[in-house]
Amino acid sequence: MLVLCKSASGKDLPGNARVIGENNETQFNPLKIGVEYKVYGVMFYPTRTDMLLCPDGSNPLWVPSNLFEVLDNALPNNWGCVLTEKKDGYSNLYEDFGITAIFSYLQLVRSYQHYIGILEREPDELQKFYEYKLSY
């Protein structure tokens, strides 16, 4: 999957697509307008969809799809899905944030520790992400 960044600002998010305190002043750095990004995961909230991207020279991050144009909607053959409400660990995402499902590479949808490790920038889990990124 490939997307084109159209905005990096919270002001371009509809009110119902703002989560976790996002507002008009929110900046989704280090995204750059006009740059194409590969998508490494898709996460579903009740009111928006986020994508896992990894800008050059940066760590992976989840960003709202509202800020992008989809250039190629094909999903990799080796992706899987986790329904968060029904899976230990991931159910925290459902209960705390309303996240209902994640589609991504298998390590991310099978290991909650890996999911959290990416967010918390744990070196071992980031290394696993970067190994996947190189193979994608």
Side-chain angles (χ1 to χ4, degrees):
M1 188 170 183
L2 187 67
V3 295
L4 176 67
C5 184
K6 303 300 268 182
S7 174
S9 174
K11 70 179 170 57
D12 293 318
L13 286 177
N16 70 342
R18 295 177 183 188
V19 298
I20 314 172
E22 295 164 341
N23 59 46
N24 283 346
E25 307 306 314
T26 302
Q27 293 297 310
F28 295 94
N29 296 322
L31 296 179
K32 299 207 182 307
I33 296 170
V35 173
E36 295 178 6
Y37 295 98
K38 283 186 178 180
V39 176
Y40 300 99
V42 182
M43 180 167 56
F44 299 92
Y45 289 87
T47 59
R48 85 175 195 201
T49 302
D50 278 14
M51 299 179 299
L52 182 61
L53 309 178
C54 190
D56 288 340
S58 180
N59 285 315
L61 69 154
W62 291 98
V63 293
S65 64
N66 307 67
L67 305 177
F68 297 86
E69 174 186 338
V70 176
L71 300 175
D72 180 358
N73 62 4
L75 298 176
N77 291 331
N78 61 347
W79 275 23
C81 173
V82 61
L83 302 176
T84 58
E85 181 181 20
K86 308 209 180 273
K87 185 78 170 167
D88 286 342
Y90 294 95
S91 61
N92 296 334
L93 300 176
Y94 178 79
E95 293 163 6
D96 295 342
F97 306 106
I99 296 167
T100 57
I102 300 171
F103 287 79
S104 189
Y105 60 98
L106 295 179
Q107 181 79 26
L108 191 73
V109 298
R110 291 182 177 168
S111 170
Y112 184 67
Q113 177 183 349
H114 179 62
Y115 172 88
I116 292 298
I118 287 174
L119 295 179
E120 294 181 353
R121 308 298 188 222
E122 293 178 9
D124 290 346
E125 301 305 328
L126 285 173
Q127 181 62 36
K128 292 173 189 174
F129 170 82
Y130 289 118
E131 287 171 8
Y132 172 75
K133 182 181 175 188
L134 286 173
S135 72
Y136 178 48

